[in-house]
Amino acid sequence: MLGIKNEEKKYDKNIFKHLIWIIHNIRKIDSKYIFISILATIINGIISSVSLIVIQKIINGVQTERNLNNIIFYIILYISIDLFNSIYSSILGY
């Protein structure tokens, strides 16, 4: 192919070296972003876990309970968690 060498790209496998580089550059721009990013990740993890537990309560309530008030409570709780997550994600994306 007219002198084109088949060069194999070598990628650095050390992820920690890249992570340190990323954190260093983020700190140059704005050090508050690291704190906000870590806090956002923790909050998203908590919201996901709580949402999953509420969905489980709704499904179990539909299958076993005949108490409609509990099922409606969990549905309203799930909707409010989802609404909070949507607003939180919108604010964070801004």
Side-chain angles (χ1 to χ4, degrees):
M1 295 223 184
L2 300 175
I4 297 176
K5 294 181 181 179
N6 187 8
E7 295 181 13
E8 185 177 321
K9 291 183 180 179
K10 295 187 179 187
Y11 295 103
D12 190 10
K13 304 275 186 200
N14 190 356
I15 192 168
F16 295 110
K17 187 169 107 177
H18 295 292
L19 186 62
I20 292 170
W21 179 80
I22 290 169
I23 291 173
H24 177 70
N25 285 333
I26 289 173
R27 285 185 57 202
K28 280 183 182 177
I29 297 170
D30 191 7
S31 60
K32 290 183 276 187
Y33 183 76
I34 295 172
F35 175 73
I36 292 171
S37 178
I38 291 171
L39 185 65
T41 303
I42 291 170
I43 290 174
N44 278 336
I46 291 171
I47 288 174
S48 298
S49 300
V50 170
S51 178
L52 183 66
I53 291 170
V54 171
I55 289 274
Q56 183 180 10
K57 294 280 188 184
I58 292 171
I59 292 172
N60 288 342
V62 168
Q63 290 177 349
T64 60
E65 289 184 20
R66 298 290 181 226
N67 190 356
L68 190 60
N69 289 334
N70 284 343
I71 297 170
I72 292 174
F73 170 75
Y74 285 122
I75 290 173
I76 291 172
L77 182 63
Y78 177 75
I79 291 170
S80 63
I81 290 171
D82 190 42
L83 182 64
F84 173 76
N85 192 23
S86 297
I87 293 171
Y88 172 74
S89 297
S90 297
I91 291 172
L92 192 62
Y94 179 69

Coordinates of all heavy atoms in Angstrom, one line a residue:
M1 N 0.8 -1.2 0.0 CA 0.0 0.0 0.0 C 0.9 1.3 0.0 O 0.7 2.1 0.8 CB -0.9 0.0 1.2 CG -2.0 -1.1 1.2 SD -3.4 -0.3 1.7 CE -4.5 -1.7 1.7
L2 N 1.7 1.4 -0.9 CA 2.5 2.5 -1.1 C 3.2 3.1 0.1 O 3.1 4.3 0.4 CB 1.7 3.6 -1.8 CG 1.1 3.2 -3.1 CD1 0.2 4.3 -3.6 CD2 2.1 2.9 -4.2
G3 N 3.9 2.3 0.8 CA 4.7 2.8 1.9 C 4.0 3.1 3.2 O 4.5 3.6 4.1
I4 N 2.7 2.8 3.3 CA 1.9 3.1 4.6 C 2.2 1.9 5.5 O 2.0 0.7 5.2 CB 0.4 3.2 4.3 CG1 0.2 4.4 3.4 CG2 -0.3 3.4 5.6 CD1 -1.3 4.6 3.0
K5 N 2.7 2.2 6.7 CA 3.0 1.2 7.6 C 1.8 0.9 8.5 O 1.0 1.8 8.8 CB 4.1 1.7 8.6 CG 5.5 1.9 7.9 CD 6.5 2.3 8.8 CE 7.8 2.5 8.1 NZ 8.9 3.0 9.0
N6 N 1.7 -0.4 8.8 CA 0.6 -0.8 9.7 C 1.0 -0.6 11.1 O 1.7 -1.5 11.7 CB 0.2 -2.3 9.4 CG -1.0 -2.7 10.1 OD1 -1.7 -1.9 10.8 ND2 -1.3 -4.0 10.1
E7 N 0.7 0.6 11.6 CA 1.2 0.9 13.0 C 0.1 0.5 14.0 O -1.1 0.8 13.8 CB 1.4 2.4 13.1 CG 2.6 2.8 12.3 CD 2.9 4.3 12.4 OE1 2.3 4.9 13.4 OE2 3.6 4.9 11.6
E8 N 0.5 -0.2 15.0 CA -0.4 -0.6 16.0 C -0.4 0.5 17.1 O 0.6 0.9 17.6 CB 0.0 -1.9 16.6 CG -0.9 -2.5 17.6 CD -0.4 -3.8 18.1 OE1 0.0 -4.6 17.3 OE2 -0.6 -4.1 19.3
K9 N -1.6 1.0 17.4 CA -1.7 2.0 18.4 C -1.5 1.4 19.8 O -2.1 0.3 20.1 CB -3.0 2.7 18.4 CG -3.2 3.6 17.2 CD -4.5 4.3 17.2 CE -4.7 5.1 16.0 NZ -6.0 5.8 16.0
K10 N -0.7 2.0 20.6 CA -0.5 1.5 22.0 C -1.1 2.4 22.9 O -0.9 3.6 22.9 CB 1.0 1.4 22.2 CG 1.7 0.4 21.4 CD 3.1 0.2 21.8 CE 3.7 -0.9 20.9 NZ 5.1 -1.3 21.3
Y11 N -2.0 1.9 23.7 CA -2.7 2.7 24.7 C -2.2 2.4 26.1 O -1.8 1.3 26.4 CB -4.2 2.3 24.7 CG -4.9 2.6 23.4 CD1 -5.2 1.7 22.4 CD2 -5.2 4.0 23.1 CE1 -5.8 2.0 21.2 CE2 -5.8 4.3 21.9 CZ -6.1 3.3 21.0 OH -6.7 3.6 19.8
D12 N -2.2 3.5 26.8 CA -1.7 3.4 28.2 C -2.8 2.7 29.0 O -3.9 3.1 29.1 CB -1.3 4.7 28.8 CG -0.6 4.7 30.1 OD1 -0.2 3.6 30.4 OD2 -0.4 5.7 30.7
K13 N -2.4 1.6 29.7 CA -3.4 0.8 30.5 C -3.5 1.4 31.9 O -4.3 0.9 32.7 CB -3.0 -0.6 30.5 CG -2.8 -1.2 29.2 CD -4.1 -1.7 28.7 CE -3.8 -2.5 27.4 NZ -4.9 -2.6 26.5
N14 N -2.7 2.3 32.3 CA -2.7 2.8 33.7 C -3.8 3.9 33.8 O -3.6 5.0 33.5 CB -1.4 3.4 34.0 CG -1.2 3.7 35.5 OD1 -2.2 3.5 36.2 ND2 -0.1 4.2 35.9
I15 N -5.0 3.4 34.3 CA -6.1 4.3 34.5 C -5.9 5.4 35.5 O -6.4 6.5 35.5 CB -7.4 3.5 34.7 CG1 -8.6 4.4 34.6 CG2 -7.4 2.9 36.1 CD1 -9.9 3.6 34.5
F16 N -5.1 5.0 36.6 CA -4.9 6.0 37.7 C -4.1 7.2 37.2 O -4.3 8.3 37.7 CB -4.2 5.3 38.8 CG -5.1 4.3 39.5 CD1 -4.8 2.9 39.4 CD2 -6.2 4.6 40.2 CE1 -5.6 2.0 39.9 CE2 -7.1 3.7 40.7 CZ -6.8 2.4 40.6
K17 N -3.2 7.0 36.2 CA -2.4 8.1 35.7 C -3.3 9.1 35.0 O -3.2 10.3 35.1 CB -1.3 7.6 34.7 CG -0.4 8.6 34.2 CD 0.8 8.0 33.5 CE 0.6 8.2 32.1 NZ 1.8 7.6 31.3
H18 N -4.3 8.6 34.3 CA -5.3 9.4 33.6 C -6.2 10.1 34.6 O -6.6 11.2 34.4 CB -6.1 8.6 32.6 CG -5.2 8.1 31.4 ND1 -4.7 8.9 30.5 CD2 -4.9 6.8 31.1 CE1 -4.0 8.2 29.6 NE2 -4.1 6.9 30.0
L19 N -6.6 9.4 35.6 CA -7.5 9.9 36.6 C -6.8 11.1 37.3 O -7.4 12.1 37.6 CB -7.9 8.8 37.6 CG -8.9 9.2 38.7 CD1 -10.2 9.6 38.0 CD2 -9.1 8.1 39.6
I20 N -5.5 11.0 37.7 CA -4.8 12.0 38.3 C -4.7 13.2 37.4 O -4.9 14.4 37.8 CB -3.4 11.6 38.8 CG1 -3.6 10.6 39.9 CG2 -2.5 12.7 39.2 CD1 -2.3 9.8 40.3
W21 N -4.5 13.0 36.1 CA -4.4 14.1 35.1 C -5.7 14.8 35.0 O -5.8 16.0 34.9 CB -4.0 13.5 33.7 CG -3.9 14.5 32.7 CD1 -2.9 15.4 32.4 CD2 -4.9 14.8 31.7 NE1 -3.2 16.1 31.3 CE2 -4.4 15.8 30.9 CE3 -6.1 14.2 31.4 CZ2 -5.1 16.3 29.8 CZ3 -6.9 14.7 30.3 CH2 -6.3 15.8 29.5
I22 N -6.8 14.0 35.0 CA -8.2 14.6 34.9 C -8.5 15.5 36.1 O -9.0 16.6 36.0 CB -9.3 13.5 34.7 CG1 -9.1 12.9 33.3 CG2 -10.7 14.1 34.9 CD1 -9.9 11.7 33.1
I23 N -8.2 15.0 37.3 CA -8.5 15.7 38.5 C -7.6 17.0 38.6 O -8.1 18.0 39.0 CB -8.2 14.8 39.7 CG1 -9.3 13.7 39.8 CG2 -8.2 15.6 41.0 CD1 -9.1 12.7 40.9
H24 N -6.4 16.9 38.1 CA -5.5 18.0 38.1 C -6.1 19.1 37.2 O -6.1 20.3 37.5 CB -4.1 17.6 37.7 CG -3.1 18.8 37.5 ND1 -2.7 19.4 38.6 CD2 -2.6 19.3 36.4 CE1 -1.8 20.4 38.2 NE2 -1.8 20.4 36.9
N25 N -6.5 18.7 36.0 CA -7.1 19.7 35.1 C -8.4 20.3 35.6 O -8.7 21.5 35.3 CB -7.2 19.1 33.7 CG -5.9 19.0 33.0 OD1 -5.0 19.7 33.3 ND2 -5.8 18.0 32.1
I26 N -9.2 19.5 36.2 CA -10.5 20.0 36.8 C -10.2 21.0 37.9 O -10.9 22.0 38.0 CB -11.4 18.9 37.3 CG1 -11.9 18.0 36.1 CG2 -12.5 19.4 38.1 CD1 -12.7 16.8 36.5
R27 N -9.2 20.7 38.7 CA -8.9 21.7 39.8 C -8.4 23.0 39.2 O -8.5 24.0 39.8 CB -7.8 21.1 40.7 CG -8.4 20.0 41.6 CD -7.5 19.5 42.6 NE -6.9 20.6 43.4 CZ -5.8 20.5 44.1 NH1 -5.1 19.5 44.0 NH2 -5.4 21.6 44.8
K28 N -7.7 23.0 38.0 CA -7.3 24.2 37.4 C -8.4 25.1 37.0 O -8.4 26.3 37.1 CB -6.4 23.9 36.1 CG -5.0 23.5 36.4 CD -4.3 23.3 35.0 CE -2.9 22.9 35.2 NZ -2.3 22.7 33.8
I29 N -9.5 24.4 36.5 CA -10.6 25.2 36.0 C -11.5 25.6 37.2 O -11.8 26.8 37.3 CB -11.5 24.3 35.0 CG1 -10.6 24.0 33.8 CG2 -12.8 25.0 34.6 CD1 -11.2 22.9 32.9
D30 N -12.0 24.7 38.0 CA -12.8 25.0 39.1 C -12.8 23.9 40.1 O -13.3 22.8 39.8 CB -14.3 25.3 38.6 CG -15.1 25.9 39.7 OD1 -14.6 26.3 40.8 OD2 -16.3 26.1 39.5
S31 N -12.3 24.2 41.3 CA -12.1 23.1 42.3 C -13.5 22.7 42.9 O -13.6 21.6 43.4 CB -11.2 23.5 43.4 OG -11.6 24.6 44.0
K32 N -14.5 23.5 42.8 CA -15.8 23.2 43.3 C -16.5 22.1 42.5 O -17.3 21.4 43.0 CB -16.7 24.4 43.3 CG -16.3 25.4 44.4 CD -17.3 26.6 44.4 CE -16.9 27.5 43.3 NZ -17.7 28.8 43.3
Y33 N -16.1 21.9 41.2 CA -16.7 20.9 40.4 C -16.4 19.5 40.9 O -17.3 18.7 40.7 CB -16.2 21.1 38.9 CG -16.8 20.1 38.0 CD1 -18.1 20.4 37.5 CD2 -16.1 19.0 37.6 CE1 -18.7 19.5 36.7 CE2 -16.7 18.1 36.7 CZ -18.0 18.3 36.3 OH -18.6 17.5 35.4
I34 N -15.3 19.3 41.5 CA -15.0 17.9 42.0 C -16.0 17.6 43.1 O -16.6 16.5 43.1 CB -13.5 17.8 42.5 CG1 -12.6 18.0 41.3 CG2 -13.3 16.5 43.2 CD1 -11.1 18.1 41.7
F35 N -16.2 18.5 44.0 CA -17.1 18.3 45.1 C -18.5 18.1 44.6 O -19.2 17.2 45.1 CB -17.0 19.5 46.1 CG -18.0 19.4 47.2 CD1 -17.9 18.5 48.2 CD2 -19.2 20.2 47.2 CE1 -18.8 18.4 49.3 CE2 -20.1 20.1 48.2 CZ -19.9 19.2 49.3
I36 N -18.9 18.9 43.7 CA -20.3 18.8 43.1 C -20.5 17.5 42.4 O -21.5 16.9 42.5 CB -20.6 20.0 42.2 CG1 -20.7 21.3 43.1 CG2 -21.8 19.8 41.4 CD1 -20.7 22.6 42.2
S37 N -19.5 17.1 41.7 CA -19.5 15.8 40.9 C -19.7 14.6 41.9 O -20.5 13.7 41.6 CB -18.3 15.7 40.0 OG -18.3 14.5 39.3
I38 N -18.9 14.6 42.9 CA -18.9 13.5 43.9 C -20.3 13.5 44.6 O -20.9 12.4 44.7 CB -17.7 13.6 44.9 CG1 -16.4 13.3 44.1 CG2 -17.9 12.6 46.0 CD1 -15.2 13.6 45.0
L39 N -20.7 14.7 45.0 CA -22.0 14.8 45.7 C -23.2 14.3 44.8 O -24.1 13.6 45.2 CB -22.3 16.2 46.2 CG -23.5 16.4 47.0 CD1 -23.4 15.7 48.3 CD2 -23.7 17.9 47.3
A40 N -23.1 14.7 43.5 CA -24.1 14.4 42.5 C -24.2 12.8 42.3 O -25.2 12.2 42.2 CB -23.9 15.1 41.2
T41 N -23.0 12.2 42.3 CA -22.9 10.8 42.1 C -23.5 10.0 43.3 O -24.3 9.1 43.1 CB -21.5 10.4 41.9 OG1 -20.9 11.1 40.8 CG2 -21.4 8.9 41.6
I42 N -23.2 10.5 44.5 CA -23.8 9.9 45.7 C -25.3 10.0 45.7 O -26.0 9.1 46.0 CB -23.1 10.5 46.9 CG1 -21.7 10.0 47.0 CG2 -23.9 10.1 48.2 CD1 -20.9 10.7 48.1
I43 N -25.8 11.2 45.4 CA -27.2 11.5 45.4 C -27.9 10.6 44.4 O -29.0 10.1 44.6 CB -27.5 13.0 45.3 CG1 -27.1 13.7 46.5 CG2 -29.0 13.2 45.0 CD1 -27.2 15.2 46.4
N44 N -27.4 10.5 43.2 CA -28.0 9.7 42.1 C -28.0 8.2 42.6 O -29.0 7.5 42.3 CB -27.2 9.8 40.8 CG -27.6 11.1 40.1 OD1 -28.8 11.6 40.2 ND2 -26.8 11.6 39.2
G45 N -27.0 7.8 43.2 CA -27.0 6.4 43.7 C -28.0 6.1 44.8 O -28.7 5.1 44.8
I46 N -28.2 7.1 45.7 CA -29.2 7.0 46.7 C -30.6 7.0 46.1 O -31.5 6.2 46.4 CB -29.1 8.1 47.8 CG1 -27.8 7.8 48.6 CG2 -30.3 8.1 48.7 CD1 -27.4 8.9 49.5
I47 N -30.9 7.9 45.2 CA -32.2 8.0 44.5 C -32.5 6.8 43.8 O -33.6 6.3 43.8 CB -32.2 9.3 43.6 CG1 -32.3 10.5 44.4 CG2 -33.4 9.2 42.7 CD1 -32.2 11.8 43.6
S48 N -31.5 6.2 43.1 CA -31.8 5.0 42.3 C -32.1 3.8 43.2 O -33.1 3.0 43.0 CB -30.5 4.6 41.5 OG -30.3 5.6 40.6
S49 N -31.4 3.7 44.4 CA -31.7 2.6 45.3 C -33.1 2.8 46.0 O -33.9 1.8 46.1 CB -30.7 2.6 46.4 OG -29.4 2.4 45.9
V50 N -33.4 4.0 46.4 CA -34.7 4.2 47.0 C -35.9 4.0 46.0 O -36.9 3.4 46.3 CB -34.8 5.7 47.6 CG1 -36.2 6.0 48.0 CG2 -33.8 5.8 48.7
S51 N -35.6 4.4 44.8 CA -36.6 4.2 43.7 C -36.9 2.7 43.5 O -38.0 2.3 43.3 CB -36.2 4.9 42.4 OG -37.1 4.7 41.4
L52 N -35.8 2.0 43.5 CA -36.0 0.5 43.3 C -36.7 -0.1 44.4 O -37.6 -1.0 44.2 CB -34.6 -0.1 43.1 CG -34.5 -1.6 42.9 CD1 -35.1 -1.9 41.5 CD2 -33.1 -2.1 43.0
I53 N -36.5 0.3 45.6 CA -37.2 -0.3 46.8 C -38.7 0.1 46.8 O -39.5 -0.7 47.0 CB -36.5 0.2 48.1 CG1 -35.1 -0.4 48.3 CG2 -37.4 -0.1 49.3 CD1 -34.3 0.2 49.4
V54 N -39.0 1.4 46.3 CA -40.4 1.8 46.3 C -41.1 1.0 45.2 O -42.2 0.6 45.4 CB -40.4 3.3 46.0 CG1 -41.9 3.7 45.7 CG2 -39.9 4.1 47.3
I55 N -40.5 0.8 44.0 CA -41.1 0.0 43.0 C -41.4 -1.4 43.5 O -42.4 -2.0 43.2 CB -40.2 -0.1 41.7 CG1 -40.1 1.3 41.1 CG2 -40.6 -1.2 40.8 CD1 -41.2 1.5 40.1
Q56 N -40.4 -2.0 44.2 CA -40.6 -3.3 44.8 C -41.8 -3.4 45.8 O -42.6 -4.3 45.7 CB -39.3 -3.8 45.5 CG -39.4 -5.2 46.1 CD -38.1 -5.6 46.8 OE1 -37.3 -4.7 47.0 NE2 -38.0 -6.8 47.1
K57 N -41.9 -2.3 46.6 CA -43.1 -2.2 47.5 C -44.4 -2.1 46.7 O -45.4 -2.7 47.1 CB -42.9 -1.0 48.4 CG -41.8 -1.1 49.4 CD -42.1 -1.9 50.5 CE -41.0 -1.8 51.6 NZ -41.2 -2.7 52.7
I58 N -44.4 -1.4 45.6 CA -45.6 -1.2 44.8 C -46.0 -2.6 44.2 O -47.2 -3.0 44.3 CB -45.4 -0.2 43.7 CG1 -45.3 1.2 44.3 CG2 -46.6 -0.3 42.7 CD1 -44.9 2.3 43.3
I59 N -45.0 -3.3 43.6 CA -45.3 -4.6 43.0 C -45.8 -5.6 44.1 O -46.8 -6.3 43.9 CB -44.1 -5.1 42.2 CG1 -43.9 -4.2 41.0 CG2 -44.3 -6.6 41.8 CD1 -42.6 -4.5 40.3
N60 N -45.1 -5.6 45.2 CA -45.5 -6.6 46.3 C -46.9 -6.2 46.8 O -47.7 -7.1 47.2 CB -44.5 -6.6 47.4 CG -43.2 -7.3 47.0 OD1 -43.1 -8.0 46.1 ND2 -42.1 -7.0 47.8
G61 N -47.1 -4.9 46.9 CA -48.5 -4.5 47.4 C -49.6 -4.9 46.4 O -50.6 -5.3 46.9
V62 N -49.3 -4.8 45.2 CA -50.3 -5.2 44.2 C -50.6 -6.7 44.2 O -51.7 -7.2 44.1 CB -49.9 -4.7 42.8 CG1 -50.8 -5.4 41.7 CG2 -50.0 -3.2 42.7
Q63 N -49.5 -7.5 44.4 CA -49.6 -8.9 44.4 C -50.2 -9.5 45.7 O -51.0 -10.4 45.7 CB -48.3 -9.6 44.2 CG -47.7 -9.3 42.8 CD -46.4 -9.9 42.6 OE1 -45.7 -10.3 43.5 NE2 -45.9 -10.0 41.3
T64 N -49.9 -8.9 46.9 CA -50.2 -9.5 48.1 C -51.3 -8.7 48.9 O -52.2 -9.3 49.5 CB -49.0 -9.8 49.0 OG1 -48.4 -8.5 49.3 CG2 -48.0 -10.7 48.4
E65 N -51.1 -7.4 49.0 CA -52.0 -6.7 49.8 C -53.3 -6.3 49.1 O -53.3 -6.1 47.9 CB -51.3 -5.4 50.3 CG -50.2 -5.6 51.3 CD -49.7 -4.2 51.8 OE1 -50.3 -3.2 51.6 OE2 -48.5 -4.3 52.2
R66 N -54.3 -6.1 49.9 CA -55.6 -5.6 49.4 C -55.8 -4.2 49.9 O -56.8 -3.6 49.6 CB -56.7 -6.5 49.8 CG -56.6 -7.9 49.3 CD -56.8 -7.9 47.8 NE -56.7 -9.3 47.3 CZ -56.1 -9.7 46.2 NH1 -55.4 -8.8 45.6 NH2 -56.0 -10.9 45.8
N67 N -54.8 -3.6 50.6 CA -55.0 -2.3 51.1 C -54.6 -1.3 50.1 O -53.4 -1.1 49.8 CB -54.1 -2.1 52.4 CG -54.3 -0.8 53.1 OD1 -55.1 0.0 52.7 ND2 -53.7 -0.7 54.3
L68 N -55.5 -0.6 49.5 CA -55.3 0.3 48.4 C -54.5 1.6 48.9 O -53.8 2.2 48.1 CB -56.6 0.7 47.8 CG -56.6 1.5 46.5 CD1 -55.8 0.6 45.4 CD2 -57.9 1.8 46.0
N69 N -54.7 2.0 50.1 CA -54.1 3.2 50.6 C -52.5 3.0 50.6 O -51.8 4.0 50.3 CB -54.5 3.5 52.1 CG -56.0 4.0 52.1 OD1 -56.5 4.5 51.1 ND2 -56.6 3.8 53.2
N70 N -52.0 1.9 51.0 CA -50.6 1.7 51.0 C -50.0 1.7 49.5 O -49.0 2.3 49.3 CB -50.2 0.3 51.6 CG -50.3 0.4 53.1 OD1 -50.3 1.5 53.7 ND2 -50.3 -0.8 53.7
I71 N -50.7 1.1 48.6 CA -50.3 1.1 47.2 C -50.3 2.5 46.7 O -49.3 2.9 46.0 CB -51.2 0.1 46.4 CG1 -51.1 -1.3 46.9 CG2 -50.9 0.2 44.9 CD1 -52.1 -2.3 46.3
I72 N -51.3 3.3 46.9 CA -51.4 4.6 46.5 C -50.3 5.5 47.1 O -49.7 6.3 46.4 CB -52.8 5.2 46.7 CG1 -53.9 4.5 45.8 CG2 -52.8 6.7 46.5 CD1 -55.3 4.9 46.1
F73 N -50.0 5.3 48.4 CA -48.9 6.0 49.0 C -47.6 5.7 48.3 O -46.9 6.7 48.1 CB -48.9 5.6 50.5 CG -47.6 6.1 51.2 CD1 -47.5 7.5 51.5 CD2 -46.6 5.3 51.5 CE1 -46.4 7.9 52.1 CE2 -45.4 5.7 52.1 CZ -45.3 7.1 52.4
Y74 N -47.3 4.5 48.0 CA -46.1 4.1 47.4 C -46.0 4.7 45.9 O -44.9 5.1 45.5 CB -45.8 2.6 47.4 CG -45.4 2.2 48.8 CD1 -46.1 1.2 49.4 CD2 -44.3 2.7 49.4 CE1 -45.7 0.7 50.7 CE2 -43.9 2.3 50.7 CZ -44.6 1.3 51.3 OH -44.2 0.9 52.5
I75 N -47.1 4.7 45.3 CA -47.1 5.3 43.9 C -46.9 6.8 43.9 O -46.1 7.3 43.2 CB -48.5 5.0 43.2 CG1 -48.6 3.5 42.9 CG2 -48.7 5.8 41.9 CD1 -49.9 3.0 42.4
I76 N -47.5 7.5 44.9 CA -47.2 8.9 45.0 C -45.8 9.2 45.4 O -45.1 10.1 44.9 CB -48.2 9.5 46.0 CG1 -49.6 9.5 45.5 CG2 -47.8 10.9 46.4 CD1 -50.7 9.9 46.4
L77 N -45.3 8.3 46.3 CA -43.9 8.4 46.7 C -42.9 8.2 45.5 O -42.0 9.0 45.4 CB -43.5 7.4 47.8 CG -42.1 7.5 48.4 CD1 -41.9 8.8 49.1 CD2 -41.9 6.4 49.4
Y78 N -43.2 7.2 44.7 CA -42.4 7.0 43.5 C -42.4 8.2 42.6 O -41.4 8.6 42.0 CB -42.8 5.7 42.8 CG -42.0 5.4 41.6 CD1 -40.7 5.0 41.6 CD2 -42.6 5.7 40.3 CE1 -40.0 4.8 40.5 CE2 -41.9 5.5 39.2 CZ -40.6 5.0 39.3 OH -39.8 4.8 38.1
I79 N -43.6 8.7 42.3 CA -43.8 9.8 41.4 C -43.0 11.0 42.0 O -42.3 11.7 41.2 CB -45.3 10.2 41.2 CG1 -45.9 9.1 40.4 CG2 -45.4 11.5 40.5 CD1 -47.4 9.2 40.3
S80 N -43.1 11.3 43.3 CA -42.3 12.4 43.8 C -40.8 12.2 43.8 O -40.1 13.2 43.5 CB -42.8 12.7 45.3 OG -42.5 11.6 46.1
I81 N -40.3 11.0 44.0 CA -38.9 10.7 43.8 C -38.5 10.9 42.4 O -37.4 11.5 42.1 CB -38.6 9.3 44.3 CG1 -38.7 9.2 45.8 CG2 -37.2 8.8 43.9 CD1 -38.7 7.7 46.3
D82 N -39.3 10.4 41.4 CA -38.9 10.6 40.0 C -39.0 12.1 39.6 O -38.1 12.5 38.9 CB -39.9 9.8 39.2 CG -39.5 9.7 37.7 OD1 -38.3 9.5 37.5 OD2 -40.4 9.9 36.8
L83 N -39.9 12.8 40.1 CA -40.0 14.3 39.9 C -38.8 15.0 40.4 O -38.1 15.8 39.8 CB -41.3 14.8 40.4 CG -41.5 16.3 40.2 CD1 -41.7 16.6 38.7 CD2 -42.8 16.8 40.9
F84 N -38.4 14.6 41.7 CA -37.2 15.2 42.3 C -36.0 14.9 41.5 O -35.1 15.8 41.3 CB -37.0 14.7 43.7 CG -35.8 15.2 44.4 CD1 -35.6 16.5 44.8 CD2 -34.7 14.3 44.5 CE1 -34.4 16.9 45.4 CE2 -33.5 14.7 45.1 CZ -33.4 16.0 45.5
N85 N -35.8 13.7 41.0 CA -34.7 13.3 40.2 C -34.6 14.0 38.9 O -33.6 14.4 38.5 CB -34.7 11.8 40.0 CG -33.4 11.3 39.4 OD1 -32.4 11.9 39.6 ND2 -33.5 10.1 38.8
S86 N -35.8 14.3 38.3 CA -35.8 15.0 37.0 C -35.4 16.5 37.3 O -34.6 17.0 36.5 CB -37.2 15.0 36.4 OG -37.5 13.7 36.1
I87 N -35.9 17.1 38.3 CA -35.6 18.5 38.6 C -34.1 18.6 39.0 O -33.4 19.5 38.5 CB -36.5 19.0 39.7 CG1 -37.9 19.2 39.2 CG2 -36.0 20.4 40.2 CD1 -38.9 19.5 40.3
Y88 N -33.6 17.6 39.8 CA -32.2 17.6 40.2 C -31.3 17.5 39.0 O -30.3 18.2 38.9 CB -32.0 16.5 41.2 CG -30.6 16.2 41.6 CD1 -30.0 17.1 42.5 CD2 -29.9 15.1 41.2 CE1 -28.6 16.9 42.8 CE2 -28.6 14.9 41.5 CZ -28.0 15.8 42.4 OH -26.7 15.6 42.7
S89 N -31.6 16.6 38.1 CA -30.8 16.4 36.9 C -30.8 17.6 36.0 O -29.8 17.9 35.4 CB -31.3 15.1 36.1 OG -31.2 14.0 36.9
S90 N -31.9 18.3 35.9 CA -32.0 19.5 35.1 C -31.1 20.6 35.7 O -30.4 21.3 35.0 CB -33.4 20.0 35.0 OG -34.2 19.0 34.3
I91 N -31.2 20.7 37.0 CA -30.4 21.8 37.7 C -28.9 21.4 37.6 O -28.1 22.3 37.3 CB -30.8 21.9 39.2 CG1 -32.2 22.5 39.3 CG2 -29.8 22.8 39.9 CD1 -32.8 22.6 40.6
L92 N -28.6 20.2 37.7 CA -27.2 19.8 37.7 C -26.6 19.9 36.2 O -25.5 20.3 36.0 CB -27.0 18.3 38.1 CG -25.6 17.8 38.3 CD1 -25.0 18.6 39.5 CD2 -25.7 16.4 38.7
G93 N -27.5 19.7 35.2 CA -27.1 19.9 33.9 C -26.9 21.3 33.5 O -26.2 21.7 32.5
Y94 N -27.5 22.2 34.2 CA -27.4 23.7 33.9 C -26.0 24.1 34.3 O -25.3 24.8 33.7 CB -28.5 24.4 34.7 CG -28.4 25.9 34.5 CD1 -28.8 26.4 33.2 CD2 -28.0 26.8 35.5 CE1 -28.7 27.8 33.0 CE2 -28.0 28.1 35.3 CZ -28.3 28.6 34.0 OH -28.3 30.0 33.8

